[in-house]
């Protein structure tokens, strides 16, 4: 009976302590992220690191002296080794201490879990020290294989960490498919562990992945979920991290105010937490927000702030990225010396650290900067360097950009065989690559993503409202209806907007045309006269024999004749010609021409004109052989000498109409009448009734008339 009681007591103890032990491990992982420096100080003091042992026997003796159980001391040393490899930890000689601990722990490793941790540490060391990312991936996968079949909580915790590292590294080396697999496994394990902190971490990570793929709707879904979960946790680091990622989501949507608000708050939180590396990233996001708005000087200020933080802690690769961004900003400001200086500093760091995936894009930006300065030999040098890296890393976008710079530079250097080779490679790549479908306009893309974002927010709000409601089914129906209505309204609005734009363009064209023939007409003339490069001479010409052209030959044939005549006028006289009505044309000359010179030029074109003859239409030959006399009204602009006095284009046109009416009163051969004002002429002479005021002004000598006929024969119109 006593043995049975002892058995049940032991079993109960195991049931109680197993979940407690699991919670302790998860809590330590949270401390690892939230307060790594405090955790480091506590473990360093308790373990009295560094320790001296070469085998398990010596290790157990050390553990006993420290009043540790051997497995507990081994677990603490594993955490300590991982802490040495964290960027947030502030300690000296971190890599060497991590390597020492890894070697000591390797001598103790016996179980698959312990061996997997050694592989994790080795992979982290190689990735941080030499940027051997592919080798790190191999080590992490080997570690994962050792514990994949284990389903206890401790193994799941380690799998969670390994999938996190693998997803980040695959993203870094542009292996998107494998990255997505590990991101999903990372998230799946977080939900299996039922730990809100881990879930928020995984939702943020997968949101970052989708942001990098420009799948903004999916990214926002995960970021908003992470932000919602983190707000109910009492952990400032995860709250700052999710807010920082939310600011990036707002930035990608073009919602600058929200993006700046969240990025600034995240930067302040990171500063309070002493997370300089994260604060630097927040500063960089703020800089990018200003850069997206083309506020380049503000962007440079924030890039420099980030640079100071990275330089303070000797984060060389981050410094290189900041130099690259600053160089790009100066390039947009056309400050080529500064741009080249910062790009060279970035190049030096990327080459020193061997980070080819950053170096290729810096070389491309270098090539762009040199190309804009027409430094073709240097463009070729950096273009070739970028192409070599892009080929080795299989980066199609970088390959295409490098080939474009090289083709252009070789062509400018007259190295046509090399240019042709680059163009051939570019064409082959474009033919072999299936292009993604492109949206009709950038604004429609942005509107769609914002709509999806708003729908996502509404879904979360509605979910909160109906948690304790018995009408949950009705709420879901309402939500689906709202989504359908919003989507339909957006599509309908987009279609209507495109229709209105097309209609506006058509009407804007038609309003400038003469109604019957659809040739350039009266409104087109007024538009020409109001243009910045307004004409200096306006002539209104009436060809009497063409006045009834539309009635005698029909609208279709008369339009052909008139259009042909206008084309001849414009090509031979270098002017713009407008049809006012059948037989009446307005001429706009950019030069100031005397009336007699204007009439001679126009009459010469008329005398040598070759109207398009349709042999099937009667009487065309007669029209072709007739001498076409023209009557012309003429003015030179401006009509008033005082530049502060401006007349409307309608009044200027009526003035030349007045001159034509006067010329038509003589109606003998080629006749012109030109109107000009004297220097002291007041603007009042151009008030309504215009014709009466102009006639009185002629009689008083305020304006002058010039004609090739006898002035006394003119009958001046008086309205």
């Amino acid at each position: 009976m006593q043995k049975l009681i002892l058995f049940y007591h032991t079993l109960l103890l195991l049931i109680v302590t197993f979940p407690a032990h699991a919670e302790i491990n998860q809590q330590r992982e949270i401390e690892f992220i939230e307060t790594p420096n405090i955790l480091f100080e506590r473990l360093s003091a308790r373990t009295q690191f560094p320790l001296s042992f070469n085998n398990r026997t010596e290790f157990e003796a050390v553990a006993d002296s420290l009043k540790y159980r051997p497995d507990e001391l081994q677990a603490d040393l594993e955490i300590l080794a991982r802490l040495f490899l964290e960027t947030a930890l502030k300690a000296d000689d971190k890599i060497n201490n991590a390597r020492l601990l890894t070697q000591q722990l390797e001598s103790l490793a016996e179980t698959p879990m312990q061996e997997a941790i050694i592989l994790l540490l080795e992979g982290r060391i190689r990735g941080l020290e030499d940027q051997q990312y592919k080798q790190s991936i191999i080590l992490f996968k080997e570690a994962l294989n050792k514990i994949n079949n284990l389903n206890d909580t401790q193994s799941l915790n380690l799998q969670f960490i390994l999938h996190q590292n693998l997803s980040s590294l695959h993203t870094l080396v542009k292996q998107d498919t494998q990255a997505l697999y590990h991101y999903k496994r990372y998230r799946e394990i977080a939900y299996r562990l039922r730990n809100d902190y881990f879930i928020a971490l995984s939702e943020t990570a997968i949101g970052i992945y989708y942001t990098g793929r420009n799948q903004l709707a999916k990214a926002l879904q995960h970021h908003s979920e992470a932000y919602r979960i983190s707000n109910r946790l009492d952990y400032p680091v995860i709250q700052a991290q999710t807010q920082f990622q939310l600011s990036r989501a707002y930035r990608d949507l073009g919602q600058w105010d929200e993006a700046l608000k969240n990025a600034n708050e995240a930067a302040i939180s990171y500063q309070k937490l002493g997370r300089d590396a994260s604060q630097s990233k927040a500063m960089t996001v703020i800089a990018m927000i200003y850069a997206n708005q083309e506020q380049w000087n503000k962007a440079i200020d924030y890039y420099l702030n980030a640079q100071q933080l990275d330089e303070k802690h000797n984060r060389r690769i981050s410094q290189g990225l900041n130099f690259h961004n600053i160089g790009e900003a100066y390039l947009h400001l056309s400050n080529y010396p500064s741009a080249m200086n910062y790009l060279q500093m970035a190049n030096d760091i990327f080459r020193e650290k061997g980070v080819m995936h950053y170096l290729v894009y810096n070389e491309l930006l270098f090539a762009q900067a040199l190309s804009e300065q027409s430094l073709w030999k240097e463009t070729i040098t950096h273009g070739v360097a970028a192409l070599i890296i892009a080929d080795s890393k299989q980066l199609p976008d970088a390959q295409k950009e490098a080939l474009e710079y090289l083709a252009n530079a070789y062509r400018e250097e007259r190295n046509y065989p090399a240019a042709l080779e680059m163009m051939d490679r570019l064409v082959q790549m474009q033919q072999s690559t299936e292009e993604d479908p492109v949206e009709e306009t950038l604004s429609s893309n942005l509107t769609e993503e914002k709509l999806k974002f708003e729908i996502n927010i509404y879904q979360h709000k509605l979910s909160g409202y109906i948690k304790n409601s018995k009408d949950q089914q009705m709420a879901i129906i309402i939500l689906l209806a709202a989504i359908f209505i919003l989507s339909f309204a957006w599509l309908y609005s987009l279609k209507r907007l495109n229709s209105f734009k097309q209609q506006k363009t058509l009407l804007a064209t038609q309003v400038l045309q003469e109604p019957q023939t659809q040739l350039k007409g009266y409104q087109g003339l007024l538009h020409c006269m109001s243009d910045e490069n307004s004409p200096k001479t306006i002539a209104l010409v009436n060809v009497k024999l063409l006045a009834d052209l539309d009635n005698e030959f029909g609208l279709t044939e008369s339009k052909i004749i008139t259009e042909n005549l206008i084309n001849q006028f414009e090509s031979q006289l270098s002017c713009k010609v407008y049809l006012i009505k059948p037989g009446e044309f307005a001429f706009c000359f950019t030069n100031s021409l005397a009336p007699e010179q204007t009439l001679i030029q126009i009459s010469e074109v008329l005398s040598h004109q070759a109207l398009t003859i349709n042999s099937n239409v009667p009487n065309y030959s007669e029209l072709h052989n007739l001498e076409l006399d023209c009557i012309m009204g003429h003015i030179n602009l401006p009509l008033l000498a005082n530049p502060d006095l401006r007349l409307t284009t309608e009044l200027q046109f009526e003035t030349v109409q007045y001159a034509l009416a006067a010329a038509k009163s003589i109606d003998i051969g080629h006749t012109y009448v030109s109107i000009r004002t004297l220097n002291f002429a007041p603007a009042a002479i151009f008030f309504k009734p215009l014709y009466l005021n102009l006639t009185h002004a002629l009689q008083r000598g305020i304006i002058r008339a010039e004609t090739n006929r006898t002035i006394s024969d003119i009958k001046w119109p008086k309205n």
Side-chain angles (χ1 to χ4, degrees):
M1 187 66 179
Q2 289 179 346
K3 289 182 179 180
L4 187 62
I5 293 172
L6 181 62
F7 171 76
Y8 280 117
H9 178 73
T10 306
L11 182 62
L12 182 62
L13 184 64
L14 286 172
I15 293 171
V16 172
T17 57
F18 181 76
H21 183 66
E23 288 181 7
I24 291 171
N25 284 339
Q26 291 179 18
Q27 187 59 37
R28 180 166 286 188
E29 284 301 323
I30 294 173
E31 288 182 65
F32 188 93
I33 299 169
E34 289 285 328
T35 55
N37 290 289
I38 294 174
L39 179 61
F40 173 76
E41 289 174 5
R42 188 170 74 243
L43 292 179
S44 296
R46 189 179 176 195
T47 61
Q48 297 182 19
F49 176 83
L51 300 175
S52 178
F53 60 87
N54 297 309
N55 52 49
R56 178 159 288 278
T57 303
E58 293 179 4
F59 172 73
E60 289 175 353
V62 170
D64 185 60
S65 67
L66 294 173
K67 298 182 180 179
Y68 256 114
R69 288 209 325 264
D71 59 330
E72 287 182 349
L73 178 58
Q74 189 170 349
D76 281 356
L77 292 178
E78 288 169 353
I79 292 289
L80 199 59
R82 285 175 55 207
L83 281 168
F84 276 124
L85 299 170
E86 282 298 303
T87 55
L89 182 70
K90 297 176 180 177
D92 298 327
D93 204 16
K94 295 197 296 184
I95 293 290
N96 286 330
N97 285 328
R99 186 179 287 107
L100 171 62
L101 268 173
T102 302
Q103 291 170 353
Q104 289 180 323
L105 289 168
E106 189 173 6
S107 67
L108 304 176
E110 295 174 346
T111 67
M113 274 288 297
Q114 293 166 352
E115 291 172 355
I117 289 172
I118 299 302
L119 291 168
L120 169 64
L121 294 172
E122 285 285 356
R124 289 282 291 156
I125 290 171
R126 296 195 186 193
L128 288 173
E129 189 176 35
D130 302 316
Q131 288 76 50
Q132 298 179 35
Y133 299 128
K134 291 186 178 180
Q135 189 62 35
S136 295
I137 289 172
I138 293 171
L139 291 169
F140 291 153
K141 287 186 176 180
E142 188 178 343
L144 200 56
N145 289 334
K146 287 184 176 293
I147 59 172
N148 251 342
N149 296 325
L150 304 177
N151 290 315
D152 59 280
T153 306
Q154 188 178 2
S155 299
L156 287 175
N157 284 341
L158 185 54
Q159 289 177 41
F160 180 79
I161 295 165
L162 286 167
H163 282 296
Q164 178 190 33
N165 282 274
L166 281 166
S167 57
S168 300
L169 283 180
H170 278 301
T171 300
L172 194 62
V173 297
K174 308 295 184 182
Q175 295 174 350
D176 294 342
T177 303
Q178 295 183 59
L180 182 58
Y181 167 77
H182 290 289
Y183 276 121
K184 288 183 176 180
R185 290 286 293 128
Y186 178 48
R187 180 169 173 265
E188 178 189 330
I189 293 172
Y191 279 96
R192 283 181 63 185
L193 292 170
R194 298 182 182 181
N195 185 302
D196 282 348
Y197 194 96
F198 290 178
I199 292 170
L201 279 177
S202 64
E203 293 286 358
T204 296
I206 203 167
I208 294 169
Y209 170 82
Y210 283 125
T211 299
R213 309 285 79 72
N214 203 32
Q215 298 180 34
L216 300 183
K218 288 184 178 180
L220 285 166
Q221 178 182 349
H222 292 286
H223 282 312
S224 58
E225 180 66 10
Y227 187 63
R228 183 182 68 82
I229 294 171
S230 68
N231 278 342
R232 69 186 186 213
L233 301 175
D234 190 22
Y235 293 112
V237 171
I238 191 67
Q239 289 175 350
Q241 185 176 344
T242 55
Q243 187 171 35
F244 167 64
Q245 296 302 336
L246 195 61
S247 72
R248 295 179 66 191
Y250 277 121
R251 177 200 64 190
D252 295 334
L253 278 173
Q255 297 184 1
W256 311 123
D257 293 338
E258 287 295 326
L260 280 173
K261 172 180 172 293
N262 284 280
N264 277 306
E265 288 179 4
I268 292 169
S269 298
Y270 284 136
Q271 186 178 20
K272 291 178 180 177
L273 292 165
R275 295 293 185 99
D276 290 343
S278 298
Q279 185 186 357
S280 170
K281 291 177 182 177
M283 292 289 185
T284 300
V285 168
I286 295 171
M288 288 179 175
I289 293 168
Y290 284 122
N292 285 330
Q293 300 175 82
E294 297 187 359
Q295 298 183 39
W296 300 110
N297 288 315
K298 284 187 177 181
I300 289 170
D301 290 341
Y302 279 93
Y303 283 136
L304 288 172
N305 287 335
Q307 167 60 26
Q308 289 176 356
L309 290 169
D310 292 327
E311 186 177 3
K312 178 181 175 182
H313 297 282
N314 198 33
R315 287 188 286 270
R316 295 288 289 161
I317 295 177
S318 296
Q319 290 181 62
L321 291 171
N322 280 313
F323 288 145
H324 172 85
N325 291 330
I326 295 169
E328 183 180 21
Y330 276 123
L331 183 58
H332 282 284
L333 291 170
S334 299
N335 186 342
Y336 294 112
S338 296
M340 303 296 285
N341 183 40
Y342 279 102
L343 290 176
Q344 185 58 55
M345 288 192 287
N347 245 28
D348 293 341
I349 290 174
F350 294 151
R351 287 191 182 279
E352 170 197 334
K353 293 297 182 180
V355 281
M356 297 296 115
H357 52 284
Y358 291 147
L359 180 61
V360 62
Y361 294 106
N362 198 69
E363 290 285 8
L364 287 172
L365 195 58
F366 234 133
Q368 179 187 343
L370 292 162
S371 178
E372 289 181 11
Q373 299 173 78
S374 299
L375 300 172
W376 306 117
K377 290 183 180 179
E378 293 84 350
T379 301
I380 291 169
T381 300
H382 289 278
V384 168
L387 184 60
I388 291 171
I389 301 171
D391 286 343
S392 66
K393 298 290 183 182
Q394 292 297 302
L395 302 173
D397 57 337
Q399 288 173 312
K400 289 179 183 178
E401 189 175 349
L403 288 170
E404 288 172 358
Y405 291 136
L406 286 171
N408 186 43
Y410 280 130
R411 186 172 61 250
E412 294 293 337
E413 285 284 297
R414 301 182 185 279
N415 187 346
Y416 298 116
L420 185 59
E421 181 185 350
M422 297 300 107
M423 290 300 296
D424 286 342
R425 279 198 60 184
L426 192 58
V427 169
Q428 288 174 3
M429 287 191 67
Q430 290 172 341
Q431 288 175 345
S432 62
T433 304
E434 183 179 353
E435 295 183 358
D436 294 330
V438 180
E439 293 293 335
E440 183 179 351
T441 60
L442 182 60
S443 60
S444 64
N445 261 337
L446 187 58
T447 304
E448 183 180 359
E449 295 300 343
K450 287 182 179 179
L451 181 62
K452 289 178 180 176
F453 180 49
E454 290 171 2
I455 290 172
N456 192 34
I457 292 174
Y458 295 149
Q459 285 174 328
H460 285 301
K461 287 183 178 179
L462 190 57
S463 296
Y465 295 149
I466 64 176
K467 269 185 180 179
N468 300 319
S469 174
K470 296 180 180 179
D471 301 327
Q472 187 173 6
Q473 187 176 2
M474 182 60 69
I476 293 172
I477 294 172
I478 293 171
L479 175 62
L480 292 173
I483 294 171
F484 175 77
I485 292 170
L486 284 171
S487 302
F488 178 78
W490 172 72
L491 290 171
Y492 178 75
S493 299
L494 183 62
K495 185 176 180 181
R496 288 292 302 274
L497 179 62
N498 290 335
S499 176
F500 286 149
K501 285 181 178 178
Q502 293 174 1
Q503 188 176 4
K504 180 182 176 183
T505 303
L506 178 62
L507 291 174
T509 303
Q510 288 180 344
V511 77
L512 302 178
Q513 297 173 340
E514 193 275 330
Q516 279 191 325
T517 61
Q518 301 300 307
L519 300 174
K520 296 181 295 181
Y522 170 69
Q523 291 295 335
L525 171 66
L526 297 184
H527 180 74
C528 174
M529 294 170 67
S530 63
D531 191 58
E532 291 182 0
N533 299 319
S534 57
K536 296 295 188 293
T537 298
I538 304 294
L540 189 59
V541 175
N542 182 274
V543 183
K544 186 175 181 181
L545 288 177
L546 301 180
D548 292 323
L549 197 65
D550 54 340
N551 292 326
E552 292 177 359
F553 296 99
L555 183 61
T556 302
E557 298 296 341
S558 65
K559 177 183 175 181
I560 295 172
I561 297 171
T562 305
E563 187 173 10
N564 183 50
L565 184 58
I566 288 174
N567 289 337
Q568 290 185 64
F569 278 135
E570 290 187 338
S571 64
Q572 296 184 36
L573 300 181
S574 298
C575 65
K576 294 182 179 179
V577 182
Y578 302 86
L579 178 65
I580 305 303
K581 60 184 180 181
E584 191 165 299
F585 305 89
F587 293 76
C588 293
F589 294 90
T590 54
N591 299 326
S592 183
L593 301 177
E596 187 171 0
Q597 180 186 4
T598 306
L599 182 63
I600 289 171
Q601 291 184 8
I602 294 172
S603 60
E604 282 181 355
V605 175
L606 280 172
S607 63
H608 294 95
Q609 62 81 30
L611 299 178
T612 302
I613 303 301
N614 186 340
S615 59
N616 295 322
V617 180
N619 300 324
Y620 260 42
S621 57
E622 294 179 10
L623 176 64
H624 187 263
N625 295 326
L626 289 174
E627 183 178 352
L628 301 177
D629 294 334
C630 61
I631 309 298
M632 184 184 77
H634 172 279
I635 60 171
N636 285 324
L637 298 178
L639 284 169
L640 295 173
N642 188 346
D644 296 327
L645 299 177
R646 295 182 179 274
L647 300 178
T648 65
T649 52
E650 289 84 354
L651 282 174
Q652 293 172 354
F653 176 73
E654 287 189 39
T655 302
V656 77
Q657 268 189 317
Y658 176 82
L660 177 63
K664 288 176 73 174
S665 69
I666 298 177
D667 197 14
I668 301 174
H670 295 305
T671 302
Y672 74 82
V673 171
S674 178
I675 301 294
R676 65 181 177 87
T677 60
L678 300 182
N679 290 340
F680 56 83
I685 63 176
F686 291 99
F687 290 172
K688 296 179 180 180
L690 180 66
Y691 278 23
L692 184 62
N693 286 334
L694 288 174
T695 302
H696 288 165
L698 278 166
Q699 293 170 354
R700 292 161 53 197
I702 298 175
I703 62 176
R704 296 289 174 86
E706 181 182 342
T707 181
N708 59 343
R709 306 297 176 188
T710 305
I711 289 184
S712 59
D713 293 340
I714 297 174
K715 295 180 181 179
W716 300 102
K718 299 181 181 179
N719 280 8

